[in-house]
Amino acid sequence: MLWLIVMLHVVAGFAALASARSLRRWGLAVAAVAPLSALVWAATAAPRLLADGGETVTSRFSWATSLGLEAVLRADGFSLIMVLVVTGIGALILAYSTGYFSDGAKAARVGGLLMIFAGAMLCVVLSDHLLLLYVGWELTSITSFFLIGTDHENPKARKAAVHALMVTGAGGLAMLAGFVLLGQQAGTWRLGEILAAPPTSVATSVAIGLILLGAFTKSAQYPFHSWLPDAMAAPTPISAYLHSATMVKAGVYLIARLAPAFAVTIGWWRPVVVTVGLVTMVAGALRASRPTDLKRLLAFGTVSQLGFLVVLFGIGRPEATAAGVAVLVGHALFKAALFLVVGIVDHQAGTRDVTDLPRLGEGWGVTKTVAVISAASMAAVPPFAGFVAKESAYAALVDGSTGDRVVLAGIVFGSILTVAYSLRLAVGLVRPDAIVAVDQRQASPPAPAWSFVAPAVVLASLTVLFGLVPQIWESAVDVAAIALDAQAHAHLALWPGLTEALGLSLLTLAVGIGVFAVRRPIEAVAVRWAPVATGVEIYNGVVDAVLSAAARTTRIVQNGSLATYAAVVLTTASVSTLVAMARGASWPGWPAVGADPTSVVVSSLIVAAAVAATVARRRFAAAILLGAVGYAMALLFVVRGAPDLALTQVAVETLFVVVFLVVLRRLPDRFEHRPSPVGKTVRIAVSVSVGAFVMIGSIAFAGSRTERPVSDQMVEQALPEGYGRNVVNVILVDIRGLDTVGEATVLATAAVGIVALARAGRRREHDDPTPTGDR
């Protein structure tokens, strides 16, 4: 059933893409079949997966068991939470897209790509095999590339798509290397088995470091965050789905899986992961306090919240793990709703920049209510789900060690900034004139249709419901946390009592409101102390430097000289092989030179003709001398008792001489370019290395045989199987019949080409009216 759920998304996605032009918006209904089916499956599987202790559902497909290659999907409580987030929000995004896109065909195309992406994301969260997880991981990067670049005529969208693919793709390659190392160290590719008995070695630490690099890039952690704000060039449904609820959660999901096992066994895990998460949370929140573009504000807010999730899961404490699950769910609800609201405003008003946004008047009450509720949940204001989740996060660390309290201080500081930018967002939507000066004469944009706002209303309603009645989702969060860490238990409550965590929550809200109230001097200080270069500028600088270095390297190694290319290839092949042979090959000894005087004489002729060809000044003479080398080789075959080989050599050599002479008719008579002394020295060195390789290699290879030659069997089987006493003929006709046909075809093709070349030369001479004496 798990395979069906994953593949159904892919099939539905391609079906929507294929039918986009004909079905238009109805293509979204085709795409919606997949998430709705997955939600039905989740509803039926929930009683088992969320039962006491949490059962698991496994689906396996094996195709090369001897190599350990198999595809295994496994669903537990945490996987169920992720499936609900991916499919539930996916279904709402498809419904939202019907009102967002004016072009029905484009809406269907986006819906199809979203479902293919959803299938890849489900593969990530359900996979229990490292290599299968990597396949799903890379598919999310590829599909997100197409989704971000949906408006392919927009240069910003194309650049943002490449930016996201480059950063996440590079991290994915590092993660693949980590998966391979980890699988080799653990002796298994099954993720569940690795986490049950994590290996401990230096190689394992390297593997985990590479895997974390992939997770950090996918979840936009500093310093790999810059692709996420850039990706806001994508249409809002894509941003709401990929960059708030699903894609960016892939890295968080992987850290959540690995942390309980490796946070204890690897000493550097907690300092590195928690530091990266805290820096991302604080830096992202600071950047979210400055933009006037509401979607960009949400992007940096997402970066900040992802850092918060990395801290909670990465610290590897049972209580923090449970709180991380709650924050993950709460974040998916309020951030997706806020993206949808900003998209509605942008669609209706034609802008999402506070400096250009008029006040939203009649008909906008529901939309503004959704915005306020969702922003309040993001700021952890009671009685919403965000408050319940944030309260559990504070409670998980408030009674911990000194290190935990230091981490808690960083979270509180980041949360204060979260309150400030949440207020900035809510006020910017409800009263933009409170943020910047607004032209009061601007008319309110037309109110959105109810169907357009409905998906955001559903998300906001869940935020309210989960906040007022946390018992509804406490058991699901508890089982999901236990699936990650057997000692984790969730305790969600709207009123936890007069606790230190509640005091911190009230302090966070109060200070956050104060920060928003005095935002102008704080913004001035932030601008003054802001880094000189942003993440996007650093990325662009790195890309420009790589392209510049590539151009310089190309000018050197790809200079258009055939002689240079041949020298590099031949020298590398010959010298590297000779070095390898010198280090490990056994030398059979030099062959007897004077045993056959006739062969010595013929070999001397070959050497003399070859040397003469190298010093010849005229092209015609060089061609004749090369032919002499070939004919002397044929003579050597005759002397050594291979007349049929000699006949073939004579035929081939004659063909080559004829071709050379035909070509030389169109070339200067003499070699006009003479190499410099340095060039001549290089050519001699290359020639000597290649000659040494051929000679020494021939002797070494011939004397290194350990098994009986296959030619002996050919000789034995020639008469009884091939009915021929001429072994060569039997090999050519019977044993290598297809090869002979291919060679004959090649020779025939070459012959046709040569004849055509010769006839073309004769025709040009016949048609040229210029007298011979004037040429």
Side-chain angles (χ1 to χ4, degrees), residues 518-722:
V518 294
R519 60 189 177 278
R520 283 177 172 60
I522 293 178
E523 288 174 5
V525 173
V527 170
R528 189 179 304 115
W529 289 95
V532 177
T534 64
V536 174
E537 292 170 344
I538 293 173
Y539 164 79
N540 291 333
V542 170
V543 171
D544 292 341
V546 170
L547 293 178
S548 243
R552 288 194 299 270
T553 305
T554 301
R555 284 195 294 269
I556 295 172
V557 302
Q558 298 289 329
N559 57 4
S561 171
L562 180 61
T564 302
Y565 299 159
V568 172
V569 172
L570 293 174
T571 303
T572 302
S574 58
V575 173
S576 60
T577 308
L578 286 172
V579 171
M581 291 171 57
R583 296 183 62 182
S586 58
W587 179 249
W590 295 98
V593 177
D596 186 0
T598 307
S599 299
V600 174
V601 173
V602 176
S603 300
S604 300
L605 290 175
I606 295 174
V607 173
V611 172
T614 61
V615 298
R617 297 295 183 90
R618 300 171 65 92
R619 298 179 189 272
F620 182 83
I624 295 299
L625 289 170
L626 286 176
V629 174
Y631 288 123
M633 285 293 300
L635 183 59
L636 182 61
F637 290 149
V638 172
V639 171
R640 302 301 296 176
D644 31 12
L645 287 179
L647 182 61
T648 303
Q649 177 70 20
V650 169
V652 171
E653 200 60 43
T654 302
L655 182 64
F656 273 111
V657 171
V658 171
V659 173
F660 269 125
L661 293 179
V662 170
V663 173
L664 289 177
R665 294 172 61 196
R666 298 294 175 183
L667 295 176
D669 180 56
R670 294 178 175 274
F671 292 107
E672 298 174 350
H673 175 70
R674 308 299 296 179
S676 63
V678 176
K680 186 179 294 185
T681 303
V682 172
R683 294 185 181 192
I684 292 173
V686 172
S687 302
V688 169
S689 66
V690 173
F693 161 66
V694 172
M695 180 186 69
I696 297 174
S698 299
I699 297 172
F701 299 156
S704 300
R705 185 183 297 278
T706 58
E707 301 294 334
R708 182 186 177 190
V710 68
S711 58
D712 293 346
Q713 299 181 21
M714 295 180 181
V715 173
E716 295 172 359
Q717 300 298 323
L719 183 59
E721 297 292 338

Side-chain angles (χ1 to χ4, degrees), residues 466-527:
F466 286 177
L468 292 175
V469 191
Q471 293 78 14
I472 295 177
W473 58 313
E474 182 182 41
S475 60
V477 171
D478 186 67
V479 174
I482 292 174
L484 298 173
D485 188 336
Q487 300 178 358
H489 291 283
H491 302 285
L492 305 181
L494 177 60
W495 173 248
L498 296 176
T499 61
E500 190 174 351
L502 179 61
L504 286 175
S505 295
L506 297 177
L507 176 66
T508 300
L509 290 173
V511 178
I513 294 171
V515 169
F516 176 74
V518 294
R519 60 189 177 278
R520 283 177 172 60
I522 293 178
E523 288 174 5
V525 173
V527 170

